[in-house]
Amino acid sequence: AAARSRLRKAQANTSIYALSEAIAYGEEVKLSAEELEIARNDCSQLRRKASARDALNAAVQRRSIEELRMAIKEGEGSSLHEEELALAKHILSQESAKKLARAGVEAALSSRSIAELEAALEEGKGAGLEDSELSEATLTLERERRRAEARSTLLQACTSADIGELIAAIKAGEDIGLSDEELSQAKDVLQEKERRALRTSSARDALITAIEQRSIEVLKMAIDEAAEVNLPDEELTLAKNILAQESAKKL
């Protein structure tokens, strides 16, 4: 009776040591095989729970997703209480969110899309990633924003009459690392603007020379060229007046 009572008390207080001692004593005094088998199963279950708790604690410390999943599964299989699993499940949720956020950051870095980088950084911060894990994406986002601004400035400068503005925009684009393909159109526009500017300057010089020479033929050619390059009418007025005068003299 004393052995049976000892065995039941040990089973009730869930002490592996006490239960092992009670089983050994029960075996000595020849308790029934059924009673001892139940006690041995209880002891085995207690050992499994203890092992599951140790695995949970280790997984929580290492914060390994795979270890946490395995430890939680074993904890559930060994019938640990939900409160004993809660911390591991919480950390698993955190680490899973971090893993997903890291994948998002990597994808955004590959695409270099401003929208994707912004979303990935927001997700990463929300998931608790360290600043060191987000630094590359942060720098890349800043760089891509500057590139986008440079592209916009370049596009505007291509439609501007100010050659200096276009030259500055091309230089800014080169400095920020825009590709040759992105810059080629702007450079073509610049080349055309410079060609037109040179032709306009030459037409203006030709007008001045024609006015000085007062040659009808030279004046006609200079006026025609000035009209082709769209010099303002007021710049042509004197040349036209002199042409009229010289033509009248010839009559």
Side-chain angles (χ1 to χ4, degrees):
R4 186 172 291 111
S5 175
R6 180 177 176 182
L7 193 62
R8 288 173 180 171
K9 286 181 181 179
Q11 286 172 302
N13 69 23
T14 66
S15 165
I16 295 173
Y17 176 76
L19 186 53
S20 297
E21 290 290 307
I23 290 170
Y25 182 63
E27 289 172 339
E28 287 180 15
V29 297
K30 307 299 182 181
L31 285 180
S32 70
E34 182 180 355
E35 288 177 295
L36 290 172
E37 182 63 25
I38 291 172
R40 290 189 190 102
N41 288 338
D42 288 346
C43 190
S44 176
Q45 181 63 16
L46 287 176
R47 286 195 175 96
R48 185 180 178 187
K49 284 184 176 181
S51 176
R53 289 188 188 99
D54 289 342
L56 275 174
N57 290 333
V60 164
Q61 290 295 320
R62 285 192 279 268
R63 303 181 77 92
S64 161
I65 290 176
E66 190 59 33
E67 285 186 44
L68 283 162
R69 284 177 177 161
M70 292 175 63
I72 290 168
K73 183 177 180 180
E74 175 59 20
E76 291 172 336
S78 61
S79 301
L80 291 184
H81 295 301
E82 183 59 33
E83 55 266 26
E84 296 184 88
L85 302 172
L87 178 58
K89 288 182 176 181
H90 177 66
I91 292 175
L92 174 59
S93 177
Q94 288 182 329
E95 294 305 317
S96 296
K98 287 181 180 180
K99 182 178 180 180
L100 185 62
R102 289 186 188 101
V105 168
E106 288 300 317
L109 283 170
S110 296
S111 72
R112 310 185 80 84
S113 160
I114 290 176
E116 288 186 32
L117 284 163
E118 288 174 338
L121 283 169
E122 183 177 354
E123 183 181 1
K125 290 173 183 176
L129 293 186
E130 298 291 336
D131 289 343
S132 59
E133 295 182 272
L134 300 174
S135 59
E136 184 180 358
T138 300
L139 292 174
T140 301
L141 176 58
E142 292 174 357
R143 189 181 307 115
E144 291 307 315
R145 281 174 173 166
R146 292 197 300 271
R147 284 179 175 172
E149 184 179 354
R151 290 185 190 102
S152 177
T153 300
L154 199 60
L155 185 61
Q156 292 176 5
C158 283
T159 61
S160 170
D162 188 345
I163 291 178
E165 182 180 339
L166 181 53
I167 292 172
I170 290 172
K171 176 64 166 57
E174 290 173 337
D175 290 344
I176 200 62
L178 294 187
S179 67
D180 291 339
E181 183 179 356
E182 291 178 289
L183 294 168
S184 63
Q185 182 179 356
K187 289 180 177 180
D188 289 343
V189 171
L190 175 61
Q191 189 175 29
E192 178 60 20
K193 284 179 180 290
E194 288 176 333
R195 186 190 66 77
R196 289 179 182 177
L198 180 61
R199 186 179 177 189
T200 298
S201 177
S202 297
R204 192 171 280 118
D205 290 343
L207 266 183
I208 294 171
T209 299
I211 288 169
E212 291 173 346
Q213 293 181 356
R214 303 180 74 88
S215 162
I216 292 175
E217 191 61 34
V218 174
L219 281 163
K220 286 180 179 179
M221 291 174 61
I223 291 169
D224 287 344
E225 177 65 14
E228 283 190 26
V229 299
N230 296 316
L231 283 183
D233 288 341
E234 56 267 24
E235 292 191 53
L236 302 178
T237 301
L238 179 57
K240 287 181 177 180
N241 288 340
I242 292 174
L243 176 58
Q245 291 173 3
E246 295 303 320
S247 297
K249 288 179 183 179
K250 191 171 183 181
L251 292 176

